[in-house]
Amino acid sequence: MSDIRFDGRVAIVTGAGGGLGRCHALELARRGAKLVINDLGASMDGTGGNSAAAEAVVKEIEALGGEAIANGSSVADEKGVQKMIDDTMSKFGRIDILIANAGILRDKSFSKMTQADIDLVIDVHLRGSFMPIHAAWNIMKEQNYGRLVVTTSSTGLYGNFGQANYGAAKLGVVGMMNTLKIEGAKNNIKINAVCPIAATRMTEGLMPQAVLDQLKPEYVTPGVMNLVKDDAPSGLILSAGAGAFSMARIVETEGAFVGHGDALTAEAVAAKWDQITDTSKTRPAFQSGAEHGQNIFALVAAGTTA
Ligand code: NAI
């Protein structure tokens, strides 16, 4: 197996002042990339901020013999994001890799969640992934090269009490990925999602210490390196934690054609409910919305000819 190297590559990692982002950035630097370390230096609920965290990681990279610049913009601030992209281009002249990792939490049960809790979390996670990727997109297209990672969460994929705002934003980035994998294909732009679990300040106190000890953020990063390498896949969701990795997919059951016209009633759907929801028969994941549509018509054709 050949070494995974990023020599000559320029990478931006958002929220790289600590936690998972810092680990991703350090590993990219160890493997030859030049880095832009973005971090607002915010507290976990998104308040406050200074660029000290980003600058400290730049120093760590320099100590490794690498090259990096710090950026203290909020990923949720359009002008700040554009400045980050402009500064990267004037310093390094290209953008090969962008890992959208910055994040905050505003956990509350839904009845207690305020509009501000919803807006801020969507701003940082969803708009904060969208805007940097959007600002880098045409540069990657012109280069005919781009490797993008969005950071999703088991909350987005499966749910978690008190995290409706976070879960919506985290599945939102997967929706963006699903389309960008299609739009980027002809320009060698690949995009994937990581679904991490790691002991960072985000998970402090949520699990016993013995469990947290196994969840080093460094144990997620080797998976992420595989999402941004030259021969990376595209459109894949990689679950990663404690040194274990798996692939998450949205799949559909085989389903059933119920009928047309007078035969298609709510009761007729209810009568076939067991077949419609039979998870013992699932289809391979669709690669596009178009494939999903074709499948619907295949079901109809099979049903009408049966
Ligand atoms: P962390 O809190 O250690 O790191 C997040 C970083 O993002 C912080 O350094 C923070 O200053 C920065 N940040 C926050 N708002 C920002 C903004 N507006 N602009 C720029 N930087 C900003 O948390 P952790 O655990 O390293 O999280 C990294 C990503 O992984 C997040 O997107 C999080 O939602 C996701 N994640 C983490 C999991 C875990 O188990 N730790 C589980 C699932 C997802």
Side-chain angles (χ1 to χ4, degrees):
M1 203 87 347
S2 61
D3 285 356
I4 296 174
R5 296 288 313 173
F6 300 103
D7 305 285
R9 298 280 177 218
V10 176
I12 299 175
V13 183
T14 71
L20 287 158
R22 172 180 161 274
C23 290
H24 303 338
L26 286 173
E27 191 58 17
L28 284 166
R30 279 187 205 104
R31 291 171 181 273
K34 295 173 188 143
L35 264 300
V36 176
I37 306 298
N38 161 269
D39 205 295
L40 176 63
S43 61
M44 211 170 62
D45 68 359
T47 51
N50 65 70
S51 58
E55 277 153 19
V57 176
V58 167
K59 292 224 160 57
E60 284 187 85
I61 291 174
E62 286 169 351
L64 293 168
E67 216 182 322
I69 56 170
N71 172 277
S73 302
S74 167
V75 290
D77 169 41
E78 199 180 341
K79 284 202 181 104
V81 166
Q82 192 55 54
K83 183 174 172 348
M84 173 175 81
I85 300 295
D86 293 346
D87 288 352
T88 308
M89 289 305 281
S90 29
K91 173 74 180 170
F92 296 127
R94 52 188 294 124
I95 303 169
D96 299 290
I97 297 168
L98 196 159
I99 300 178
N101 162 84
I104 58 163
L105 291 177
R106 284 277 176 117
D107 293 1
K108 272 181 204 145
S109 62
F110 201 51
S111 56
K112 296 201 179 107
M113 196 171 276
T114 64
Q115 190 62 46
D117 295 328
I118 299 167
D119 290 347
L120 195 62
V121 166
I122 297 218
D123 264 6
V124 174
H125 288 279
L126 186 54
R127 292 181 72 242
S129 299
F130 237 103
M131 289 195 293
I133 290 175
H134 188 244
W137 186 255
N138 284 342
I139 295 167
M140 290 182 166
K141 265 182 89 174
E142 273 164 37
Q143 290 170 180
N144 250 322
Y145 192 93
R147 297 290 178 268
L148 299 160
V149 168
V150 291
T151 306
T152 184
S153 158
S154 58
T155 299
L157 298 176
Y158 310 114
N160 195 22
F161 191 94
Q163 294 195 312
N165 49 357
Y166 181 73
K170 285 308 206 186
L171 200 53
V173 298
V174 173
M176 173 176 71
M177 173 191 83
N178 286 336
T179 283
L180 295 189
K181 101 185 156 197
I182 295 169
E183 291 195 20
K186 70 175 187 302
N187 291 102
N188 191 18
I189 301 175
K190 298 184 175 177
I191 177 164
N192 296 288
V194 61
C195 176
I197 172 160
T200 64
R201 66 180 187 169
M202 259 195 200
T203 45
E204 253 168 38
L206 292 183
M207 288 169 257
Q209 195 55 43
V211 177
L212 291 175
D213 288 346
Q214 292 188 53
L215 292 172
K216 294 192 196 327
E218 289 83 354
Y219 292 173
V220 169
T221 295
V224 174
M225 296 301 105
N226 278 274
L227 301 181
V228 294
K229 63 185 179 181
D230 281 355
D231 57 345
S234 199
L236 187 144
I237 305 169
L238 183 72
S239 290
F245 302 89
S246 55
M247 184 177 72
R249 295 207 122 166
I250 296 171
V251 292
E252 295 198 16
T253 59
E254 232 173 57
F257 173 65
V258 177
H260 283 158
D262 291 346
L264 180 52
T265 60
E267 290 75 15
V269 173
K272 288 216 171 171
W273 200 253
D274 287 350
Q275 198 184 337
I276 293 167
T277 59
D278 181 1
T279 51
S280 71
K281 290 182 191 153
T282 53
R283 297 182 179 277
F286 300 123
Q287 296 306 307
S288 65
E291 272 188 21
H292 170 262
Q294 283 159 12
N295 178 63
I296 290 278
F297 284 105
L299 272 176
V300 173
T304 49
T305 54

